[in-house]
Amino acid sequence: MGPSLDMWDFSSLISLWINRFYIYLGFAFGFSLWICFQIVIRKQNKNSQEKTVPKAPRDLMTNGYISLQRKEVFVSGVKIFYGSQTGTAKGFATVLAEAVSSLDLPVAVINLKEYDPDDHLVEEVTSKNVCAFLVATYTDGRPTESAEWFYRWLEEAANDFRFGKTYLKGVRYAVFGLGNSAYVSHFNKVGKNVDKWLWMLGAHRVMSRGEGDCDVVKSKHGSIEADFTAWKARFISRLQALCKGERKRCGGNCKKGKCESNQHGSEAVEPGPHAQEGSHQRDAEEEPFGSTSEEESGTEDHQSLKSVIDVEDLGKIMDRMKKEKREKERQEGETSLIRSAVKNEASERRAMITPALREALTKQGYQLIGSHSGVKLCRWTKSMLRGRGGCYKHTFYGIESHRCMETTPSLACANKCVFCWRHHTNPVGTEWRWKMDQAEMILKEAIENHQNMMKQFRGVPGVREERFEEGMTVKHCALSLVGEPIMYPEINRFLKLLHECKISSFLVTNAQFPAEIRNLKPVTQLYVSVDASTKESLKKIDRPLFKDFWQRFLDSLKALAAKQQRTVYRLTLVKAWNVDELQAYARLVSLGNPDFIEVKGVTYCGESSASSLTMANVPWHEEVVRFVCELVDLIADYEIACEHEHSNCLLIAHKKT
């Protein structure tokens, strides 16, 4: 058994060796069948998965598994930069931030005073943020103090060849400027320059620049708040479009399926860095000072007319041309209607007092009258009701303070003085362009409001009954509350009504309206504010709106000299600003030859973002006395007549009086 078994094993091995090729072929065939079977199975699995997840894109299918793509982000957040002096731009930035937050976008509000553009602005190139700049134009077209460094850095960078035209390529921005069109030569200059310099550095403007105007007459929407609200709505709408991946605004005239603004989501090209390069090209259509131009509609149609036209298509083309003509006529009709509406709106003048201004002045204790006037109770009135002292007018001229009404028929002014008691909450202007109230109504309501405020002191401890009864009858009107009363077109009518009511009048003007001074009917006492004696210091202190302010100032003093009535110079001394100009003041006195000269130390009205004055600028009474003594030595025929130390004021009188 053993030897035969060994022989069989040996013969079997020989047989297998001889037929080994058939055995290999069998294994190969079986392996091939197994591979084919696996391919079929995997293909069936893939088809079944596509049916269960139909929205998954096919290019995401790998190895029989679906990898979900992370949603692409087009806007990662919004940064709002502001440069503010009086707080308006800061308030707008807060309002804008709240609106952006409603879109579930991260938002940051940044004071430009605390921002270093040299280190951080370039970071916005790749951040996918949208930057909004809210910047105000301040004195002489300069930026506010908080934006001074950013403004200067941006200007230098835009004009420095080392930065280049692509330094901020990738930054998306929008600008809203705050200004006053009364300053014609530099209205919104800061906003325009920031917009221009960002563009010069390669940044991409996502929407046109907004311009807020404090002048309610020229403001497009009636006030700077309304201007901002309109711009904010457009900004939010544009932001929503950017979040969807839209590259540019759709004008509504694009052909179906070819609108670039609709190419978003998986079809969008913009969000990647390479796509942004195309988006930010400085093409000829984009203007450095305005918004980017939209594509003209119907270009393809007009181009097709230049080519050879098939006779069969001629009818279609004629129909299209007729349709375009009708559409053009319709648009022209709408345009004419809009123009007529704008014209009608312009003819109906706007009120000087806007809702925001009304709120601000009411908080300060004003009783507003009509659309441009106001009245307020003086603290000296309250003092004299209690049997205490009166103001310097009582000491100098015998005016009883408790019978004096302080009012104005015009809240607007042509200056923005650094020592303004109202912190520049009142409007400014160089001419009357507002809706005008009648003089009779102003006087009637002024007296009624004054009496209503007086009634609040009835029965108050310390108030003397006889003084209270006397105070209910107005005997004197100080037209020096705020603004420039001489701007009111019916000022002569108003003065006549005062005098008919046996009310004396003290009118103060800021020496910027010489023609109005010449045409002014006689008042009890006419004041001209002489806040400085040189052109440079007057510009620095009064910050006038008129370009020819100095000539107007001199002409006003000459007009005062020609008035046949009692006239007064009012000098306000601001330490370190105008107290060293004695010789120049003496020349101005000889120019106007006033009956009286009131010299008063500036009153500090508290810290204000609109002024850099501090208590250090308030002269001591001894310093005012010394100034007056030195001035009297320089002007002939004048002498010191009276002093009111509490008001830090002295009176110089002409010897003829």
Side-chain angles (χ1 to χ4, degrees), residues 61-120:
M61 303 290 292
T62 56
N63 299 324
Y65 296 93
I66 300 175
S67 59
L68 297 177
Q69 184 187 34
R70 186 177 61 182
K71 185 178 180 181
E72 196 157 17
V73 176
F74 297 96
V75 178
S76 60
V78 177
K79 288 187 176 180
I80 303 171
F81 301 89
Y82 70 88
S84 182
Q85 190 73 25
T86 61
T88 305
K90 182 179 180 181
F92 286 170
T94 303
V95 173
L96 184 60
E98 293 175 356
V100 172
S101 299
S102 65
L103 302 180
D104 294 328
L105 283 174
V107 59
V109 179
I110 302 171
N111 187 350
L112 287 173
K113 186 177 183 180
E114 302 167 356
Y115 185 75
D116 189 352
D118 209 11
D119 293 336
H120 301 297

Side-chain angles (χ1 to χ4, degrees), residues 223-434:
S223 67
I224 191 170
E225 292 81 11
D227 292 337
F228 171 73
T229 301
W231 179 85
K232 181 191 69 174
R234 291 192 295 116
F235 179 79
I236 295 300
S237 176
R238 183 71 183 123
L239 197 59
Q240 290 173 326
L242 291 172
C243 290
K244 297 176 183 178
E246 295 180 8
R247 293 178 59 183
K248 66 190 301 182
R249 288 169 293 178
C250 177
N253 299 317
C254 52
K255 286 198 171 185
K256 186 177 180 181
K258 294 186 179 181
C259 179
E260 293 184 16
S261 64
N262 290 330
Q263 296 177 358
H264 56 81
S266 60
E267 299 177 359
V269 185
E270 181 190 72
H274 298 290
Q276 285 184 353
E277 293 180 4
S279 171
H280 300 159
Q281 288 179 354
R282 325 305 289 168
D283 53 34
E285 289 183 352
E286 190 169 350
E287 299 292 337
F289 301 106
S291 61
T292 56
S293 302
E294 302 297 332
E295 289 186 65
E296 298 292 337
S297 61
T299 54
E300 295 182 7
D301 293 338
H302 292 292
Q303 289 175 357
S304 64
L305 292 175
K306 296 179 182 179
S307 59
V308 179
I309 302 174
D310 195 321
V311 178
E312 296 178 355
D313 297 330
L314 187 59
K316 296 180 180 178
I317 293 174
M318 293 300 296
D319 290 340
R320 184 165 65 243
M321 292 179 66
K322 290 179 181 179
K323 186 177 180 181
E324 289 178 355
K325 184 178 180 181
R326 288 194 298 268
E327 181 67 19
K328 184 177 180 181
E329 291 175 352
R330 184 184 65 81
Q331 291 178 354
E332 288 178 351
E334 291 179 353
T335 303
S336 63
L337 288 174
I338 293 172
R339 287 176 179 173
S340 62
V342 171
K343 191 175 182 180
N344 292 335
E345 182 181 356
S347 63
E348 297 178 3
R349 295 189 173 187
R350 295 171 178 169
M352 181 189 295
I353 305 176
T354 63
L357 179 60
R358 183 176 296 276
E359 181 182 359
L361 292 176
T362 302
K363 286 182 179 178
Q364 296 179 30
Y366 288 86
Q367 294 295 318
L368 300 179
I369 305 166
S371 62
H372 54 75
S373 308
V375 62
K376 189 179 182 183
L377 210 60
C378 175
R379 74 180 184 92
W380 290 109
T381 300
K382 304 172 187 177
S383 175
M384 210 160 189
L385 283 173
R386 292 182 169 91
R388 301 171 186 171
C391 74
Y392 68 90
K393 295 188 190 73
H394 176 65
T395 305
F396 293 173
Y397 314 112
I399 298 298
E400 297 176 303
S401 301
H402 65 296
R403 308 187 75 178
C404 176
M405 176 179 68
E406 192 174 20
T407 186
T408 181
S410 171
L411 292 165
C413 187
N415 291 343
K416 300 189 78 172
C417 304
V418 295
F419 49 75
C420 179
W421 290 9
R422 320 306 168 192
H423 299 310
H424 306 156
T425 49
N426 57 306
V428 293
T430 56
E431 60 181 352
W432 191 272
R433 294 164 295 163
W434 301 278

Side-chain angles (χ1 to χ4, degrees), residues 122 154 209 339 364 512 588:
V122 73
L154 194 62
R209 181 183 65 253
R339 287 176 179 173
Q364 296 179 30
Q512 289 296 296
L588 293 180

Side-chain angles (χ1 to χ4, degrees), residues 5 7 139 166 174 272 440 469 537 560 642:
L5 181 62
M7 285 297 292
T139 307
T166 59
E440 290 81 359
E469 295 299 331
S537 57
L560 193 75
C642 199

